[in-house]
Amino acid sequence: MDRFSSSVTYCICCFSDDHVKFFCFQVLEHQIKFRHAGLSAVQQQLIRETLMKWLQCQLMNNQPEKPFIRNKAAQVFALTFIMEYLTLWPKFFFDILSLVGLNPHGIDIYLRTLMAIDGEVVDRDILHSPEETRRNTLIKDGMREQCIPHLVESWFQILQTYQQSHPELTCQCLEVVGSYVSWIDLNLIANDRFVNLLLSQLSVEELREEACDCLLEIVNKGMDPVDKTKLVESLCQVLQSAGFFNVEQEEDVDFLAKFSRLVNGMGQSLVLSWTKLAKTGNVKEAADTLQAVEAKVPLLLQLLVHEDDDISANIVGFCYEYLHVLKQLPQLTDQQKSNIEAIMLAVMKKLTYDDEYNFENEGEDEAMFVEYRKQLKMLLDRLAQVSPELLLEAVRRVFTNTMQNWQTAPFMEVEVAIRLLYMLGEALPASHGAHFSGDTAKTSALQDMMRTLVSCSVSSYQHSSVSLEFFETVVRYEKFFLVEPHHIPNVLMAFLDQRGLRHNSPKVRSRVAYLFSRFVKTLHKHMNAFIEDILTRIQDLLELAPPENGFLALLTSDDQLFMFETAGILIVNGESPVERKQALMRSLLLPLMDAFRLLLAKLLQETEEERQAALADCLSHAVGFASRTSKAFSNKQTVKQCGCTEVYRDCMQTFLPALSCPFQRGVLRSSVRSFLHRMIICLEEEVLPFIPAASEHMLKDCEAKDLQEFIPLISQMTAKFKRQVSPFLQQVFMPLVLAIFEVLARPAEENDQAAALEKQMLRRSYFAFIMTIAASGMNEVMANQGAENIERVVFTIIQGAVDFPDPIAQKTCFITLSKLVELWGGKDGMVGFPDFIYKHIVPACFLAPLKPTFDLSDAQTVLTLSECALTLKMIHLKRGPEFIQFLQQEYLPSLQVSPEISQPGADRDLDPAESF
């Protein structure tokens, strides 16, 4: 080791190759970090000497080392400090400072080392172990007692000496001060000498941003509220005297962004001080602090309305807290009301898009503005809490003025006016969207604005942002149309023509398809007179776009789902006679069935895989559209009342042949399965004749995902129809179980996490299926599978309960075992099952909790343990004293459980769940 360390020392100090030096520092880092305790005193001393010798070399070099080497060296110095400061090297900083003096290269390493120490000892973002936390506390205590004043003095000298000649060192030093100020004595920094130096550096271009950050850390230091107010006020007085509050004269936006953060920190600190003082009843000090807060509002407003959004965003926190203060005051002064109005106007102005926003290709800048808008919305919501009347009046004034001149106004002004109306819906919340009942002033104002919105033709404005905001607002306040339904025809036309579903922007069309479905769901009762006209106008939007037509459809297939759902709602909820509803629904679904047959025939003949995939997607869309129309029905009765049972039966007969298609099975099976789920709700028992053939096809050549999706269909039928499906379940039970076993037994790549997850989810589905069968009361489904098959299935349940480290599956398995014991474990139960209970189920209840993977800190595992105990209780209930005797005389002794535990005495019985 000594020879090796000598070699490392030589390489670090004498080699010119950067990579060799870096490697050697890594070696030292490893020795210190992982082997320090095992090093001899001589070896530890050699490491210290190596570091100091390298540092001495730096003082004599004309050129400093590369930054990555200096950073690594600083890490090694920091690790050595952490390991040795409290015991072997208490003069660590004195040794370094006495060596480097004011040499720039040495100061650079010293400052980097301080930052590395902060990262290891202080950084709150790093999760330390309890031992590390105790060690770090001792280190900080030791530093406070022994060296912090000397370090602070060195920082002052560095800041004073190098602010002109080496601004990069000064910035480093400012960062160090900002990092350490949170845990050292603030008086060492927050004094005239130090603060004046920092304030002077705010005027130096290269230093001002770091100086701002440093002052912010000083302001954020936890301290007595009265002292904090004095500190902030003294800083503000100096900053104001130096002209920093004249924001409009400052051209450096990067500095202003930092300065805005500083003002935000000062403002929030004052608010926190006021809160503490108000809570403790210090009336005078609280009043003085509130006055200090109020004095910062003009500066807050200058920064909030600044054209640069980063500068504005950095002050939002102070603004939000200030409004929270106003909310708590019993009465507002005229000045405070004026401040609220000024903040409202600032928020309204800053919500406005700028000319450079790219609506068609939104990138990072656009995403940042969307996030910034969310912050402004928080301010608007807070304004509503402080003074809802002022906000309502301000929005009404802006909205009314803009709508009067929307034809000549820029799009951003029109959009933000409508946006403000939209945002009122959340800022002034109403139960279940009932904005048009209750408070007369609010109701009247909202009703007036909505009336203006839908009657002033602003929906014709030729900009996508305005179009979107119009429809979003119409749907948010859809209950307005219950009060004034005569506006519905005009709004319907806006939805249906080039302003909405036929807009030239795909983004608008897509969003409007969804909003239109919501609008119709709420107001369909007021649309009876327009239903067939609407269906005629959207007919081309309900066409299935075959893959070979070559032109771009107005709506995507996802958008069309909403259109089919809307059409279904209009037909079903209209006041037409049953015959007419039946005819309309058939005219809606018949084109889908015709197209489906044609496309399926093409798919069966197609040989090219890419073309097969396109045809299968199209077939899937057809099934999905038909399925979506059924959302208008809640049960079989509603389908019958509309005379639509037959057309959905026709759909089933049309779609089911796709299950036998040898190509693109996954896509086709998934869509048909989803349709069958809907038909079980809509047609109930009338779907049953179709299930056996469908199941037979779905169990052929299936993958894990196919089975995982098929099991819920069977479970849905089991839960809904119970004994009606018992013969079918008896028939399909073992084929389904064997198909699952076959898929689970297939070998998979060791690192294929996707395949492993699919198998885990399939196991869960399988266990849930067995549980559903056991819990449904259809004892005969499993009982009629033959003893060998029953045993095989129950063994898989025991295996799931014990061997698989999946608490969700384990819990399901124990529930199933408990149910099987209840069904078959009594005197009249299945022959041979009691023996099975004692040989396999009882051991499972004890073995599962003993597994190392059985983690009782996990909530699901705790639930599993509970079900495990309930299984034992069920065995006790069904087998009585015989079970207790078995435990005491056979099973527990086999586990080396002492008689004192297994035979508790004559005065009480053994509770089999006590083992847990």
Side-chain angles (χ1 to χ4, degrees):
M1 170 64 191
D2 292 346
R3 186 179 299 171
F4 179 72
S5 298
S6 300
S7 302
V8 170
T9 303
Y10 176 78
C11 292
I12 285 176
C13 298
C14 303
F15 258 59
S16 58
D17 187 286
D18 292 334
H19 296 290
V20 172
K21 286 182 184 177
F22 186 80
F23 172 74
C24 290
F25 272 119
Q26 281 186 312
V27 170
L28 276 182
E29 181 181 28
H30 186 271
Q31 294 288 338
I32 297 164
K33 200 168 190 176
F34 300 108
R35 297 184 58 193
H36 188 271
L39 299 178
S40 67
V42 173
Q43 291 166 337
Q44 292 172 349
Q45 178 64 29
L46 185 59
I47 290 174
R48 291 194 289 275
E49 289 174 357
T50 297
L51 292 174
M52 295 304 284
K53 187 173 181 182
W54 176 82
L55 182 56
Q56 191 170 22
C57 292
Q58 301 312 298
L59 308 182
M60 296 182 287
N61 288 346
N62 292 327
Q63 293 296 323
E65 299 276 18
K66 297 281 174 53
F68 73 93
I69 294 178
R70 282 180 275 162
N71 286 335
K72 180 55 71 175
Q75 287 176 3
V76 175
F77 269 103
L79 280 173
T80 306
F81 167 81
I82 289 165
M83 295 295 183
E84 301 189 354
Y85 175 67
L86 295 172
T87 53
L88 301 172
W89 202 356
K91 294 188 176 296
F92 177 87
F93 288 112
F94 294 102
D95 290 348
I96 289 179
L97 284 171
S98 62
L99 178 63
V100 303
L102 286 173
N103 180 286
H105 295 170
I107 292 297
D108 175 80
I109 301 302
Y110 165 62
L111 294 173
R112 288 175 193 267
T113 299
L114 284 168
M115 288 307 299
I117 290 170
D118 175 76
E120 292 288 340
V121 175
V122 184
D123 194 338
R124 292 173 180 81
D125 293 331
I126 297 174
L127 191 64
H128 295 290
S129 69
E131 294 77 13
E132 289 172 333
T133 302
R134 283 193 292 273
R135 178 204 67 193
N136 293 345
T137 301
L138 289 172
I139 289 174
K140 287 188 287 186
D141 289 344
M143 289 177 68
R144 289 189 191 99
E145 290 176 12
Q146 298 169 18
C147 63
I148 285 297
H150 298 282
L151 296 184
V152 172
E153 181 59 31
S154 74
W155 301 340
F156 182 82
Q157 296 301 325
I158 293 166
L159 291 174
Q160 194 174 46
T161 304
Y162 289 117
Q163 61 181 345
Q164 299 295 332
S165 60
H166 292 80
E168 73 284 353
L169 285 182
T170 310
C171 286
Q172 270 182 264
C173 191
L174 287 168
E175 187 180 1
V176 168
V177 175
S179 297
Y180 278 71
V181 77
S182 66
W183 61 274
I184 65 174
D185 181 2
L186 186 63
N187 293 319
L188 294 170
I189 304 292
N191 51 56
D192 289 345
R193 184 178 76 136
F194 221 111
V195 171
N196 287 335
L197 179 60
L198 292 175
L199 290 169
S200 71
Q201 291 173 343
L202 286 174
S203 302
V204 180
E205 187 174 349
E206 297 95 332
L207 309 179
R208 58 198 321 212
E209 290 181 33
E210 284 295 344
C212 244
D213 285 344
C214 187
L215 285 169
L216 176 60
E217 293 301 326
I218 294 171
V219 166
N220 286 340
K221 166 87 171 177
M223 58 193 299
D224 174 78
V226 175
D227 293 339
K228 176 61 71 74
T229 300
K230 288 177 182 176
L231 172 65
V232 171
E233 283 299 87
S234 63
L235 276 177
C236 285
Q237 286 171 10
V238 178
L239 288 169
Q240 190 166 14
S241 301
F244 287 105
F245 282 19
N246 300 323
V247 172
E248 66 279 353
Q249 296 177 13
E250 179 58 63
E251 296 179 358
D252 184 349
V253 292
D254 290 333
F255 168 70
L256 265 184
K258 296 281 189 178
F259 181 70
S260 185
R261 285 183 69 236
L262 174 59
V263 175
N264 187 68
M266 292 192 295
Q268 287 184 311
S269 294
L270 289 174
V271 169
L272 182 60
S273 294
W274 175 84
T275 303
K276 290 177 179 177
L277 293 167
K279 278 184 179 178
T280 54
N282 294 329
V283 178
K284 184 182 182 306
E285 289 86 353
D288 291 343
T289 304
L290 181 58
Q291 189 176 353
V293 173
E294 297 281 0
K296 309 300 175 291
V297 174
L299 178 58
L300 179 158
L301 289 167
Q302 286 186 71
L303 294 167
L304 187 62
V305 298
H306 197 280
E307 63 182 10
D308 187 280
D309 291 340
D310 289 338
I311 294 168
S312 176
N314 286 345
I315 201 70
V316 165
F318 174 31
C319 189
Y320 189 82
E321 297 296 336
Y322 170 63
L323 292 173
H324 185 59
V325 169
L326 296 184
K327 184 188 173 192
Q328 297 175 68
L329 298 178
Q331 191 172 353
L332 298 178
T333 65
D334 290 342
Q335 182 58 55
Q336 287 166 341
K337 290 178 182 176
S338 177
N339 288 344
I340 290 170
E341 290 184 8
I343 292 171
M344 283 180 191
L345 291 174
V347 170
M348 291 175 189
K349 178 183 177 184
K350 292 301 295 179
L351 278 167
T352 308
Y353 286 113
D354 60 32
D355 293 324
E356 296 174 0
Y357 193 98
N358 189 337
F359 289 91
E360 298 307 317
N361 187 21
E362 292 175 319
E364 186 178 345
D365 290 342
E366 287 74 20
M368 288 172 64
F369 181 73
V370 169
E371 287 302 310
Y372 171 56
R373 260 191 161 191
K374 290 177 183 176
Q375 290 182 277
L376 294 175
K377 180 194 172 299
M378 287 170 50
L379 285 183
L380 204 75
D381 291 345
R382 180 64 90 191
L383 284 163
Q385 294 170 11
V386 177
S387 182
E389 301 83 9
L390 284 175
L391 178 63
L392 188 62
E393 184 51 42
V395 170
R396 185 177 190 174
R397 186 167 57 248
V398 169
F399 179 84
T400 304
N401 291 341
T402 307
M403 291 304 107
Q404 285 173 350
N405 306 292
W406 68 263
Q407 294 93 337
T408 55
F411 83 86
M412 60 280 285
E413 290 182 16
V414 180
E415 189 275 343
V416 84
I418 304 173
R419 180 73 178 175
L420 287 167
L421 172 57
Y422 176 86
M423 292 169 84
L424 279 179
E426 287 183 8
L428 305 173
S431 177
H432 304 294
H435 292 287
F436 303 96
S437 59
D439 179 9
T440 310
K442 172 192 161 187
T443 299
S444 174
L446 286 174
Q447 208 163 319
D448 285 349
M449 285 188 275
M450 279 301 297
R451 192 181 301 116
T452 300
L453 178 71
V454 298
S455 60
C456 73
S457 302
V458 72
S459 58
S460 301
Y461 199 102
Q462 294 298 302
H463 196 279
S464 61
S465 68
V466 176
S467 300
L468 275 175
E469 209 56 62
F470 172 82
F471 290 110
E472 295 280 3
T473 306
V474 159
V475 173
R476 163 153 284 182
Y477 296 109
E478 56 198 6
K479 293 191 176 175
F480 163 76
F481 299 96
L482 299 176
V483 181
E484 299 190 23
H486 56 278
H487 293 294
I488 290 177
N490 288 337
V491 175
L492 278 174
M493 283 306 301
F495 270 113
L496 296 168
D497 63 21
Q498 75 284 352
R499 292 170 286 177
L501 289 167
R502 299 174 191 282
H503 197 280
N504 56 17
S505 165
K507 183 179 174 183
V508 174
R509 293 196 302 269
S510 178
R511 185 63 180 166
V512 168
Y514 162 71
L515 293 171
F516 184 50
S517 73
R518 277 188 52 189
F519 189 72
V520 169
K521 277 180 188 176
T522 302
L523 300 167
H524 57 77
K525 289 181 181 176
H526 297 272
M527 298 181 185
N528 287 310
F530 320 115
I531 287 175
E532 299 210 20
D533 186 28
I534 294 170
L535 292 172
T536 301
R537 289 176 183 273
I538 65 172
Q539 189 171 354
D540 62 319
L541 302 177
L542 298 170
E543 291 175 1
L544 185 68
E548 69 271 5
N549 62 10
F551 70 88
L552 202 61
L554 281 174
L555 298 178
T556 66
S557 57
D558 286 342
D559 302 331
Q560 282 184 288
L561 287 170
F562 292 114
M563 297 307 297
F564 275 95
E565 184 177 351
T566 303
I569 289 168
L570 287 169
I571 293 169
V572 170
N573 292 286
E575 294 178 356
S576 305
V578 173
E579 296 78 15
R580 186 58 186 155
K581 288 184 180 181
Q582 185 183 43
L584 289 171
M585 190 61 81
R586 186 165 285 280
S587 68
L588 180 64
L589 293 172
L590 194 58
L592 292 176
M593 290 188 270
D594 291 342
F596 188 93
R597 292 188 193 96
L598 184 65
L599 291 167
L600 183 59
K602 286 185 178 180
L603 176 57
L604 291 168
Q605 296 172 358
E606 185 59 57
T607 55
E608 188 185 331
E609 190 173 342
E610 189 175 331
R611 179 86 182 131
Q612 287 174 353
L615 286 165
D617 279 342
C618 205
L619 286 163
S620 173
H621 296 154
V623 179
F625 297 157
S627 185
R628 201 60 173 258
T629 61
S630 72
K631 288 259 186 180
F633 304 105
S634 55
N635 53 39
K636 178 184 178 182
Q637 193 59 32
T638 52
V639 180
K640 228 172 198 176
Q641 286 169 355
C642 296
C644 295
T645 303
E646 188 181 342
V647 72
Y648 282 109
R649 270 206 308 263
D650 291 347
C651 283
M652 273 199 294
Q653 289 173 333
T654 302
F655 299 152
L656 288 179
L659 293 174
S660 59
C661 178
F663 311 119
Q664 302 293 319
R665 286 194 187 97
V667 174
L668 296 176
R669 285 176 177 177
S670 182
S671 59
V672 174
R673 259 194 311 267
S674 297
F675 184 73
L676 288 173
H677 275 295
R678 283 298 309 160
M679 292 304 101
I680 288 171
I681 294 168
C682 294
L683 300 184
E684 296 186 5
E685 68 276 357
E686 295 198 34
V687 82
L688 294 179
F690 298 93
I691 297 298
S695 300
E696 185 183 345
H697 287 301
M698 284 192 270
L699 289 175
K700 281 182 185 174
D701 304 317
C702 44
E703 301 295 328
K705 189 170 182 289
D706 296 324
L707 288 168
Q708 188 191 326
E709 291 179 356
F710 176 64
I711 290 169
L713 181 68
I714 302 299
S715 298
Q716 183 188 14
M717 288 192 302
T718 304
K720 188 168 186 65
F721 302 119
K722 295 189 169 59
R723 298 215 170 272
Q724 283 179 274
V725 292
S726 178
F728 162 70
L729 287 173
Q730 291 181 54
Q731 176 189 341
V732 80
F733 183 84
M734 281 315 295
L736 173 57
V737 167
L738 292 173
I740 293 169
F741 290 171
E742 190 272 323
V743 170
L744 290 175
R746 288 176 191 168
E749 300 252 348
E750 189 177 342
N751 297 322
D752 190 344
Q753 293 184 347
L757 181 61
E758 274 194 354
K759 285 191 174 184
Q760 182 190 42
M761 299 311 291
L762 177 56
R763 274 194 206 94
R764 285 185 185 178
S765 297
Y766 164 68
F767 293 140
F769 167 63
I770 302 298
M771 183 182 73
T772 302
I773 296 292
S776 66
M778 290 185 285
N779 186 10
E780 69 278 2
V781 172
M782 285 179 65
N784 292 341
Q785 301 303 320
E788 188 179 333
N789 285 332
I790 294 171
E791 186 172 308
R792 188 175 178 188
V793 168
V794 180
F795 266 128
T796 63
I797 303 301
I798 289 173
Q799 188 183 20
V802 178
D803 293 338
F804 293 119
D806 178 358
I808 294 175
Q810 285 179 296
K811 183 183 73 171
T812 305
C813 289
F814 277 116
I815 293 172
T816 305
L817 290 172
S818 180
K819 197 66 189 173
L820 292 175
V821 170
E822 183 184 355
L823 289 172
W824 297 337
K827 292 176 181 176
D828 301 325
M830 185 179 289
V831 176
F833 197 73
D835 287 341
F836 190 88
I837 290 173
Y838 293 135
K839 285 182 181 177
H840 304 292
I841 297 180
V842 172
C845 293
F846 285 88
L847 291 174
L850 295 174
K851 289 280 184 179
T853 54
F854 204 84
D855 179 12
L856 285 173
S857 65
D858 175 68
Q860 283 291 342
T861 304
V862 173
L863 292 175
T864 301
L865 185 64
S866 174
E867 294 300 337
C868 187
L870 289 173
T871 303
L872 286 173
K873 282 184 177 288
M874 181 56 71
I875 297 171
H876 188 198
L877 180 68
K878 301 303 286 188
R879 303 307 303 171
E882 171 192 294
F883 173 49
I884 301 300
Q885 188 177 356
F886 168 76
L887 286 179
Q888 291 177 338
Q889 296 180 9
E890 295 183 43
Y891 188 67
L892 292 180
S894 74
L895 297 179
Q896 282 84 47
V897 175
S898 67
E900 291 81 9
I901 296 174
S902 64
Q903 298 181 19
D907 58 332
R908 68 184 183 96
D909 290 332
L910 173 72
D911 183 345
E914 275 187 3
S915 310
F916 301 101

